[in-house]
Amino acid sequence: MKKTDYFEQRNIDNTLKLREIRRDLPKFCDEFFIGIENRTTPLTRLEYAYDLRIFFYYLFTETREFQSFDASNFGIKQLDEVTTSQIESFLEFLNYYEFEGTTYSNTVKTKARKLSTIKSFFKYFYNKDAIDSDPASKVLTPKLHEKPIIRLEVDEVTRLLDSVDSGEGLGSRQAAFHEKTRLRDLAIMTLFLGTGIRISELVGLDVEDLDFNVNGFKITRKGGSQTILYFSDEVADALLAWLDERAKHEELDDVPALFVSLQKKRMSVRSVELLVKKYAQIVTPLKKITPHKLRSTYGTELYRETGDIYVVAEVLGHKDINTTKRHYAAISDDIKRDAARKVILRDPKN
């Protein structure tokens, strides 16, 4: 099995889910998804579909004007009857609602993302002259408040890796499995902290993607592009130790995945998230450490070492440099303070 099969299967799964969700949407929505196919991933289109499903659910159940409609009789011309006020009310609706027996609430960030979907939806049909106006364009995006970036300090990184290595602090049930997963878990945590790899990229890694001649591996980025990430000797040592352990299990010879579960299958995103949470709670119980926070930790150290935001953006795979700046701009104070100390006005020795 080739590595692309993992990502291809993920795309297939998302495409099939998208087709299922589209059945709950008005028929003309199909044109929107076809129109954006060449510039979006299946996952993005699926997220759009979920957002639009909630939007139409709101229109059909919460507005007097559209309560006589459902997905079967709501036509594209009805979009011209949707008002800016209704879209603004939809944002308020997202604060708290019930759908198919489950209660949901949304953060400001999530509401902004859903509004972005609605804006793209109306803009698409307005640009195609299918509707006469674009009421969504007049809706202001909710103001996002930047949260402090949570990351590990240098001493916390050391204690975290020590905890993974020793198993100290684990519960009795967790400790029972520790020796079986120790080298795998240590390789995963070292890879996160030593390369800034995304969790989806890590889960998709195959053994054949590693090249220890250059200390690098091939990954598939968001959007499907491929690139090579390089790693230090410390990361190489952790990976080689895991590969030696992995090679002892003949049943894994036909499993391409680098990281496998105790069930001898490719680890899932969820299982890796739980793995990180398990160890992080021992070292930093007050910090909610996730794989993305480990990625931020690496980005922080890389920026401190290089002082070059563009290097950080390239390594982390950020398409927009502003994304990188938002995450690491605060660290520039360290560089500024260091620069200030380098400028000597009067030599104290004289």
Side-chain angles (χ1 to χ4, degrees):
M1 182 182 291
K2 297 179 181 178
K3 177 188 178 177
T4 51
D5 289 342
Y6 167 78
F7 292 97
E8 287 174 358
Q9 187 59 53
R10 188 178 65 173
N11 287 339
I12 290 171
D13 292 343
N14 287 332
T15 298
L16 293 176
K17 290 178 186 176
L18 172 60
R19 290 176 183 172
E20 182 180 344
I21 299 300
R22 279 166 56 175
R23 297 190 188 104
D24 297 333
L25 301 176
K27 181 62 178 176
F28 68 85
C29 294
D30 289 350
E31 182 182 344
F32 171 68
F33 289 105
I34 293 171
I36 65 174
E37 182 173 1
N38 291 331
R39 53 190 177 85
T40 57
T41 65
L43 177 59
T44 296
R45 295 193 294 278
L46 178 60
E47 290 173 343
Y48 280 6
Y50 284 132
D51 293 343
L52 289 173
R53 183 174 64 171
I54 291 301
F55 177 64
F56 284 111
Y57 172 77
Y58 158 78
L59 288 181
F60 301 153
T61 61
E62 299 294 325
T63 65
R64 288 189 293 270
E65 295 82 356
F66 295 107
Q67 285 188 355
S68 62
F69 289 91
D70 57 30
S72 66
N73 62 3
F74 189 95
I76 194 167
K77 287 303 179 183
Q78 270 70 54
L79 282 184
D80 271 325
E81 300 174 26
V82 177
T83 66
T84 298
S85 295
Q86 287 170 335
I87 298 175
E88 290 172 338
S89 295
F90 170 63
L91 294 181
E92 190 279 329
F93 170 78
L94 290 175
N95 288 328
Y96 181 88
Y97 65 93
E98 292 186 3
F99 179 72
E100 295 185 343
T102 303
T103 300
Y104 296 89
S105 60
N106 289 273
T107 63
V108 173
K109 183 177 180 180
T110 304
K111 289 166 64 176
R113 184 185 61 77
K114 291 184 183 298
L115 176 60
S116 177
T117 296
I118 304 305
K119 284 177 176 285
S120 297
F121 182 71
F122 275 89
K123 183 179 180 180
Y124 174 83
F125 287 111
Y126 180 70
N127 288 342
K128 299 269 288 187
D129 296 322
I131 55 178
D132 297 328
S133 62
D134 180 4
S137 65
K138 301 176 183 179
V139 179
L140 298 177
T141 299
K143 184 177 178 60
L144 299 177
H145 299 282
E146 292 293 335
K147 294 182 179 180
I149 303 301
I150 298 175
R151 53 177 71 90
L152 295 172
E153 300 301 326
V154 175
D155 66 311
E156 291 173 330
V157 169
T158 300
R159 287 190 285 117
L160 178 61
L161 294 177
D162 286 346
S163 176
V164 178
D165 200 9
S166 68
E168 185 177 348
L170 292 175
S172 57
R173 187 171 182 276
Q174 295 171 330
F177 292 98
H178 176 256
E179 193 54 39
K180 296 180 181 179
T181 64
R182 180 178 69 87
L183 293 176
R184 182 203 67 183
D185 295 354
L186 190 58
I188 288 174
M189 300 296 272
T190 304
L191 199 57
F192 273 132
L193 291 164
T195 67
I197 193 173
R198 291 185 176 93
I199 187 170
S200 60
E201 297 164 351
L202 180 141
V203 167
L205 278 175
D206 286 345
V207 174
E208 67 178 18
D209 296 322
L210 300 174
D211 183 353
F212 290 96
N213 292 318
V214 296
N215 272 12
F217 54 82
K218 181 176 63 178
I219 59 168
T220 299
R221 290 288 199 192
K222 290 169 64 176
S225 63
Q226 292 190 330
T227 189
I228 295 176
L229 283 185
Y230 297 95
F231 49 84
S232 66
D233 289 340
E234 185 178 9
V235 174
D237 289 342
L239 289 172
L240 287 169
W242 161 237
L243 287 174
D244 286 343
E245 175 63 26
R246 189 185 186 283
K248 298 176 184 178
H249 302 274
E250 294 182 0
E251 65 271 28
L252 294 178
D253 289 348
D254 295 326
V255 180
L258 174 60
F259 296 115
V260 293
S261 66
L262 291 175
Q263 290 72 41
K264 314 305 180 185
K265 297 179 181 179
R266 184 186 299 273
M267 294 184 71
S268 66
V269 167
R270 182 58 179 160
S271 62
V272 174
E273 288 174 338
L274 292 174
L275 182 155
V276 171
K277 179 180 179 181
K278 175 178 70 176
Y279 290 110
Q281 284 182 332
I282 297 172
V283 176
T284 57
L286 297 183
K287 290 183 178 180
K288 186 178 179 181
I289 298 299
T290 64
H292 190 74
K293 301 301 189 297
L294 300 183
R295 177 172 158 83
S296 294
T297 299
Y298 172 77
T300 299
E301 289 308 305
L302 183 61
Y303 186 44
R304 280 176 173 155
E305 289 297 321
T306 66
D308 192 330
I309 202 72
Y310 291 95
V311 169
V312 179
E314 176 66 24
V315 173
L316 294 183
H318 289 162
K319 293 182 179 180
D320 185 354
I321 190 66
N322 290 317
T323 300
T324 319
K325 288 180 178 178
R326 283 198 303 272
H327 281 72
Y328 306 107
I331 306 169
S332 63
D333 287 341
D334 293 351
I335 297 173
K336 291 176 184 177
R337 282 192 290 268
D338 186 57
R341 287 192 290 266
K342 293 182 184 301
V343 178
I344 300 175
L345 300 181
R346 291 190 295 175
D347 190 339
K349 296 179 182 179
N350 295 331

